[in-house]
Amino acid sequence: MKIVVIGGSGLIGTRLVNNLRQRGQEVVAASPSSGVNTITGEGLAKALTGARVVVDVSNAPSWEDKAVLDFFETSGRNLSAAEASAGVGHHVALSIVGTERLLESGYFRAKTAQEDLIKASGIPYTIVRATQFFEFTGGIAQFSTVGQTVHLPPALFQPIAADDVATALAEVAFDAPVNGMVEIAGPERVGLDKLVGRFLSATKDLRKVITDNSARYYGVVVDDQSLTPGANPRIGATSFEDWLQRYLTQKKS
């Protein structure tokens, strides 16, 4: 069947496109670089012609409050209209575990707006909420750095490998729409401060992690429930240690 991946050139999109092609599917990797733009509508109708499933893993180029909201609302409306015209039978969207608990952030308010548009679109759907990716561990450290120290709360999270996110999305794309949410997470629940400390140590980064209960996660106050999934999430196969070893090997090559 024909599957269109919106955001097909990004971190998750490239992995998902490869995964689906290995399964023998006809896949369109849709992104502005391939002439498909969900904001302007350019190339969208052509890309969706004959598509059974659309998987949206796109992300906003700016996280500024108004810009990110405009992106997800405009993209969401254009996508749902094009899907309705094309007769798409399943819309799969990648979202974030804990979105409704992180509304202090304009980014998460925008993701909530995206989810609401999907639910109201009339297109059968599955929203896949993932925890943070292992690949963003360095970015978390960078955002939380003050001088040579990294200030992070001990709040629990349960990060997942990008490859496992792509695998889960591929499986959902083949399943019937649930018209609801599916949560996916990594195999280990661990404190933000501890996991980032392990990453910095393994990469021989001299910055020191300071456990700070008042520190924020991308500007948001978090606790042990903010970033962790509910009961019975789908669990990715890759441990942080296995991912880290691959990451370090790739850095050396």
Side-chain angles (χ1 to χ4, degrees):
M1 63 181 172
K2 180 178 177 180
I3 301 173
V4 178
V5 178
I6 304 294
S9 61
L11 172 69
I12 301 299
T14 53
R15 289 166 165 80
L16 177 57
V17 167
N18 290 337
N19 188 306
L20 291 168
R21 284 178 177 160
Q22 287 169 8
R23 297 172 188 237
Q25 303 305 309
E26 178 188 355
V27 185
V28 175
S31 66
S33 63
S34 68
V36 182
N37 192 314
T38 59
I39 300 301
T40 65
E42 176 193 2
L44 196 54
K46 182 179 178 182
L48 266 58
T49 299
R52 293 256 313 270
V53 179
V54 171
V55 186
D56 183 9
V57 297
S58 62
N59 206 352
S62 168
W63 284 23
E64 186 273 325
D65 285 5
K66 184 178 185 303
V68 71
L69 181 62
D70 286 347
F71 175 87
F72 282 119
E73 287 190 331
T74 302
S75 178
R77 291 191 183 103
N78 287 341
L79 256 181
S80 61
E83 287 173 352
S85 295
V88 170
H90 190 185
H91 178 92
V92 180
L94 179 61
S95 193
I96 305 166
V97 162
T99 290
E100 77 284 3
R101 299 187 289 272
L102 302 167
L103 297 180
E104 188 178 356
S105 160
Y107 182 84
F108 290 99
R109 292 195 296 273
K111 290 299 287 185
T112 298
Q114 179 194 28
E115 291 184 358
D116 289 343
L117 282 168
I118 291 166
K119 294 171 189 174
S121 71
I123 308 293
Y125 71 91
T126 305
I127 295 171
V128 179
R129 282 186 169 183
T131 53
Q132 184 60 276
F133 308 154
F134 293 150
E135 285 76 5
F136 293 158
T137 309
I140 296 171
Q142 189 60 37
F143 188 88
S144 306
T145 293
V146 180
Q148 284 299 303
T149 58
V150 181
H151 292 252
L152 286 166
L156 295 176
F157 75 145
Q158 198 168 332
I160 185 171
D163 284 336
D164 291 343
V165 174
T167 297
L169 286 166
E171 291 169 353
V172 168
F174 288 115
D175 290 341
V178 301
N179 294 316
M181 294 181 190
V182 173
E183 288 190 320
I184 59 175
E188 180 184 7
R189 193 169 285 205
V190 61
L192 277 162
D193 54 342
K194 287 185 170 56
L195 190 99
V196 171
R198 282 157 58 185
F199 178 81
L200 295 181
S201 176
T203 55
K204 297 181 169 50
D205 190 312
L206 298 179
R207 285 176 293 175
K208 181 182 179 182
V209 174
I210 304 296
T211 301
D212 182 350
N213 288 309
S214 65
R216 296 184 169 218
Y217 174 77
Y218 290 107
V220 180
V221 175
V222 291
D223 58 26
D224 286 349
Q225 285 72 50
S226 302
L227 305 171
T228 49
N232 303 315
R234 298 190 186 190
I235 300 296
T238 308
S239 71
F240 181 71
E241 295 306 323
D242 286 345
W243 173 84
L244 187 56
Q245 288 307 309
R246 287 205 297 267
Y247 173 82
L248 294 172
T249 300
Q250 289 167 359
K251 279 193 71 175
K252 290 175 184 176
S253 61

